Amino acid sequence: PDAGSPISSFFNGSGTKRLPQAIIIGVKKGGTRALLEFLRVHPDVRAVGAEPHFFDRNYERGLAWYRIALKEEENELSDDDLACGAFVLGRSRAQHLSQLSLFFRALGWMLLTVYDHAMIPGARTVTWYSSGPILTTVELVWYMQPWPRELMPRTLEGQITMEKTPSYFVTKEAPARISSMSKGTKLIVVVRDPVTRAISDYTQTLSKKPDIPTFESLTFKNRTTGLIDTSWSAIQIGIYAKHLENWLLYFPIGQILFVSGERLISDPAGELGRVQDFLGLKRIITDKHFYFNKTKGFPCLKKAEGSSKPHCLGKTKGRTHPDIDQEVVQRLRDFYRPFNMKFYQMTGQDFGWD
Ligand code: A3P
């Protein structure tokens, strides 16, 4: 249909898909989903729900894809995808996966993964019967939230397009690639005590692969000499100073905002204030938007974007961590201290991890 005709606006919705002017580039387990969910409350922010992974995994598809593509494939899904999607469970999980995937697609939903019932207590359970040859009885458990199939959202004049993909922060090529899209891109990094971050990262992996070795044994190359395995990604990601150096080759420090993951929990409105200033937005998100949910143990939104209901993040956010040997924790604190100091120096901010 002709651009601008009523029929084209019916097909296209209103507004234009733009490349992001601001990106949350990291860090994994820092609190990136919380920040994006909170920012979406702002009327001048439109954000991609999923993690596009453009500057790491999909770069060869080109900027046009990044701007207008539909997210077609349920390739490697992160926890965040899960938090927004539908949960499915069945007795023979693997068998049902592709059938269920098609079923969900037909409904305009994306099938994300098959989960154990035990992992989602309290979720709504629906039993669904199918006469097909493979599907028999499957219980569907879902989080009712429509899945955004499109990457970039449409924005009106003056609205900011945002996305978050926490792996960008540790992707060698990402700074050059983002800078070549636009040198003016504003970058946001949510950082968190690297030791807690490592444990959180491990907890996430453990929830998917319960058979992995203990945190303590993965931490060391050699437990007796105490040599830390810096090649283990859970540890590697927390060496913030090293990763940041990479970004500073392409972006001035003033173009990167460092959000404290700890303060995002203890004072979400305060951190959101800094973020809104950085993005040049009116301070609309304030302490009036948050309440502390005692059951969740975290701040939640009084009203989520596009809804009048209170909203906490999903079950995969704010997990209980396993107990880790205090000696190992201490050893990691010692390991990170010089890198943390360097990071404080580079950013001019003391995050208080030591
Ligand atoms: P844990 O699950 O280890 O507690 P990310 O979204 O980058 O993966 O970060 C996940 C972390 O966000 C959680 O780690 C949690 O501590 C933190 N977080 C910050 N604010 C939160 C909130 N309001 N609700 C839930 N989790 C929050």
Side-chain angles (χ1 to χ4, degrees):
D2 292 339
S5 72
I7 207 160
S8 99
S9 64
F10 174 78
F11 280 110
N12 297 331
S14 56
T16 312
K17 284 166 167 259
R18 295 184 176 84
L19 289 168
Q21 295 91 42
I23 306 179
I24 300 173
I25 55 172
V27 301
K28 185 183 178 194
K29 304 323 291 171
T32 55
R33 176 56 59 184
L35 178 60
L36 194 69
E37 287 300 298
F38 296 165
L39 266 175
R40 293 174 92 127
V41 170
H42 201 292
D44 294 336
V45 172
R46 301 282 285 116
V48 191
E51 293 180 3
H53 282 282
F54 176 67
F55 295 104
D56 55 350
R57 298 186 205 142
N58 290 306
Y59 193 65
E60 24 355 288
R61 296 182 187 233
L63 282 170
W65 177 87
Y66 186 39
R67 189 169 66 84
I68 60 175
L70 296 177
K71 191 180 160 105
E72 313 134 344
E73 296 303 326
E74 51 266 43
N75 52 11
E76 269 194 70
L77 293 153
S78 72
D79 267 7
D80 287 333
D81 296 313
L82 295 177
C84 304
F87 286 93
V88 176
L89 91 127
R91 276 174 310 205
S92 39
R93 328 178 347 152
Q95 269 187 337
H96 292 329
L97 206 65
S98 69
Q99 276 72 26
L100 286 172
S101 177
L102 291 171
F103 172 74
F104 270 85
R105 190 166 289 203
L107 292 179
W109 286 71
M110 213 165 173
L111 171 63
L112 298 169
T113 194
V114 175
Y115 248 62
D116 279 338
H117 192 226
M119 300 185 72
I120 23 178
R124 215 178 90 200
T125 306
V126 176
T127 308
W128 172 52
Y129 300 92
S130 160
S131 54
I134 297 178
L135 277 175
T136 51
T137 306
V138 179
E139 282 180 79
L140 307 180
V141 177
W142 40 37
Y143 265 53
M144 295 302 286
Q145 212 177 70
W147 184 246
R149 306 268 306 249
E150 304 190 9
L151 276 182
M152 293 307 154
R154 295 178 184 283
T155 52
L156 303 171
E157 207 59 48
Q159 285 182 318
I160 297 181
T161 302
M162 290 191 74
E163 70 123 313
K164 79 118 174 159
T165 306
S167 51
Y168 292 162
F169 188 63
V170 297
T171 299
K172 210 139 192 149
E173 300 81 11
R177 289 173 174 180
I178 295 181
S179 155
S180 91
M181 171 183 73
S182 167
K183 279 170 106 115
T185 312
K186 292 184 179 178
L187 308 174
I188 300 177
V189 195
V190 188
V191 287
R192 178 182 186 187
D193 179 345
V195 181
T196 329
R197 199 219 67 82
I199 299 170
S200 171
D201 199 336
Y202 173 81
T203 308
Q204 170 165 307
T205 312
L206 192 65
S207 75
K208 293 178 187 155
K209 300 182 198 146
D211 299 332
I212 54 166
T214 61
F215 181 87
E216 289 83 347
S217 62
L218 289 167
T219 297
F220 298 104
K221 271 212 177 93
N222 182 329
R223 180 99 198 233
T224 28
T225 61
L227 190 62
I228 285 176
D229 187 356
T230 52
S231 68
W232 183 28
S233 69
I235 292 185
Q236 170 86 61
I237 293 172
I239 311 175
Y240 303 142
K242 199 190 112 235
H243 303 297
L244 179 58
E245 269 171 7
N246 236 338
W247 290 88
L248 294 181
L249 299 173
Y250 292 88
F251 292 92
I253 190 95
Q255 214 168 308
I256 312 176
L257 181 76
F258 300 91
V259 172
S260 155
E262 285 83 12
R263 281 202 300 271
L264 193 60
I265 297 170
S266 63
D267 177 20
E271 282 309 274
L272 265 289
R274 293 180 60 229
V275 177
Q276 292 171 92
D277 291 350
F278 174 73
L279 295 175
L281 296 168
K282 221 173 120 189
R283 283 197 178 209
I284 286 182
I285 309 165
T286 63
D287 48 9
K288 290 188 187 64
H289 287 84
F290 301 98
Y291 74 99
F292 187 82
N293 184 309
K294 280 202 192 119
T295 321
K296 175 88 185 158
F298 283 90
C300 299
L301 286 169
K302 284 185 190 159
K303 284 180 194 166
E305 184 219 5
S307 146
S308 58
K309 293 208 188 85
H311 172 68
C312 294
L313 298 194
K315 306 255 181 221
T316 61
K317 304 295 172 182
R319 294 183 175 107
T320 313
H321 297 172
D323 277 334
I324 306 296
D325 183 342
Q326 278 312 302
E327 211 181 293
V328 175
V329 170
Q330 195 49 50
R331 184 65 193 84
L332 275 175
R333 297 221 162 283
D334 296 342
F335 167 78
Y336 279 120
R337 190 165 301 111
F339 298 111
N340 289 347
M341 294 303 148
K342 177 87 191 294
F343 183 67
Y344 298 170
Q345 225 172 45
M346 292 168 90
T347 59
Q349 263 172 273
D350 180 342
F351 290 90
W353 300 320
D354 299 276

